[in-house]
Amino acid sequence: MDLLTFRFAPSPNGALHLGHAYSALLNRKMADAVGGRMLLRIEDIDLTRCTPEFEDGIYRDLEWLGLEWEKPVRRQSGHFGEYRAALERLVRDGLVYPAFMSRGDIRAFIADTGRRGRDWPRDPDGVPLYPALDKALSEKERRRRMDGGAPFAWRLDIEAAAARAGDLSWEESADDTLSEFRREPARPQAWGDVIVARREIPTSYHLSVVLDDALQGVSHVVRGMDLFHATGVQRLLQTLLGLPQPRYFHHRLILGPDGRKLSKSLADTGLSALRAAGATPGDIRRMVGLPSA
């Protein structure tokens, strides 16, 4: 019987904070409770923001917390060929299209729509859905623009993809004991035509994460509640690509003093800064509400 497999998958685009510590420690705790495996994956497809320095900091912080994981560590930047093959399958199946609208184009279109009295729909994160005007372009016009070097991203034709996949759901654990699961309906249409790859990078978060989880044999995805709704898109891609379906547990978020989610981009206190200020691994566990090891 295969061992249950868990993973912690940070991006090296900033310092780890208390929210990352909670997720990593919880994955380790849950893996140990069932005699399972714990993997570390470095999600570094963003080649402009991810750096070796931040990656080294991830290893130092996790080792300081006393965590161990199986080696070698999978680094996404070393597997673009696998992601490209999956993208090409979606292209052949007619489920993605090249989208040429820039952020400025999107803002202008939505502003014009608002002036005409229409509220533009938004995804679960509050971002306006892609207008998808270029979905109607002919294949000849698409090829002309692509061959001419026009910037574009590959977007999933969400309606066509959802129609092919049918009704979708996933198994969500009620708590970290994994003793009770419920079926959660997946609603990928809420995200509109999401990006699955870019011209210069043949993948996106959604595409790479479902492939990585499948290739690494991940049985349980344990991550923050902020990614709960994104699971709908990932279940859709798993179905379209014939990938196995892991079980999920979306844990509580660690919030800052002002009640907002901790964020690298907002320079919340990182683990390295807490360590430098004299905090111990036991202090970190207490700060995130976990018992001392």
Side-chain angles (χ1 to χ4, degrees):
M1 182 176 179
D2 293 336
L3 292 176
L4 299 187
T5 301
F6 300 74
R7 49 72 161 177
F8 175 59
S11 294
N13 56 8
L16 296 188
H17 53 58
L18 287 172
H20 297 111
Y22 177 63
S23 195
L25 289 165
L26 186 61
N27 269 277
R28 180 75 265 179
K29 172 179 176 286
M30 293 173 70
D32 289 345
V34 296
R37 304 165 63 215
M38 168 73 174
L39 307 179
L40 173 64
R41 182 166 74 224
I42 300 297
E43 298 194 340
D44 60 345
I45 60 172
D46 186 342
L47 301 179
T48 59
R49 297 176 60 213
C50 296
T51 69
E53 291 76 20
F54 284 135
E55 184 174 339
D56 289 343
I58 288 172
Y59 299 136
R60 286 195 300 271
D61 287 342
L62 297 181
E63 289 169 354
W64 173 66
L65 288 175
L67 291 173
E68 296 180 351
W69 54 87
E70 289 190 11
K71 297 179 176 62
V73 171
R74 181 178 176 93
R75 302 175 70 251
Q76 288 183 333
S77 59
H79 297 273
F80 283 159
E82 294 165 2
Y83 309 140
R84 184 177 290 106
L87 171 64
E88 290 171 352
R89 176 174 171 179
L90 296 173
V91 172
R92 289 195 304 270
D93 289 346
L95 298 175
V96 297
Y97 64 94
F100 301 96
M101 294 181 71
S102 67
R103 291 179 180 176
D105 294 334
I106 297 169
R107 285 194 297 269
F109 177 85
I110 294 174
D112 182 62
T113 301
R115 284 191 291 270
R116 288 185 275 118
R118 283 186 58 197
D119 289 331
W120 193 253
R122 295 175 178 268
D123 68 24
D125 285 343
V127 178
L129 301 189
Y130 186 69
L133 300 181
D134 38 22
K135 188 157 53 175
L137 293 175
S138 67
E139 186 60 34
K140 181 178 180 181
E141 177 60 16
R142 289 176 179 177
R143 181 52 55 189
R144 185 190 69 79
R145 295 189 185 190
M146 293 167 70
D147 291 344
F152 72 92
W154 289 104
R155 286 185 178 267
L156 188 66
D157 185 336
I158 199 71
E159 293 302 329
R164 176 170 298 194
D167 291 337
L168 297 171
S169 62
W170 75 85
E171 287 190 87
E172 178 79 16
S173 180
D175 55 37
D176 62 13
T177 66
L178 303 179
S179 59
E180 181 181 346
F181 286 84
R182 64 181 183 271
R183 298 301 305 187
E184 286 286 346
R187 299 184 177 91
Q189 294 95 326
W191 295 91
D193 291 358
V194 296
I195 292 175
V196 293
R198 301 186 183 276
R199 182 180 65 171
E200 66 280 7
I201 300 177
T203 191
S204 66
Y205 165 70
H206 291 303
L207 184 59
S208 58
V209 76
V210 297
L211 281 167
D212 288 343
D213 286 341
L215 292 169
Q216 292 190 286
V218 173
S219 63
H220 291 73
V221 174
V222 177
R223 60 190 182 185
M225 184 55 73
D226 53 328
L227 290 170
F228 180 87
H229 294 291
T231 309
V233 174
Q234 292 162 24
R235 278 293 297 119
L236 176 58
L237 287 171
Q238 288 163 353
T239 301
L240 297 175
L241 295 170
L243 303 175
Q245 175 189 167
R247 288 175 151 185
Y248 292 85
F249 174 52
H250 291 89
H251 60 68
R252 62 182 173 86
L253 299 178
I254 303 299
L255 304 178
D258 57 359
R260 63 176 171 81
K261 184 187 79 166
L262 299 179
S263 170
K264 295 174 183 174
S265 62
L266 296 175
D268 291 295
T269 301
L271 297 183
S272 58
L274 290 168
R275 181 168 68 249
T280 67
D283 293 332
I284 300 300
R285 286 178 174 271
R286 285 189 290 275
M287 291 170 75
V288 300
L290 288 174
S292 298

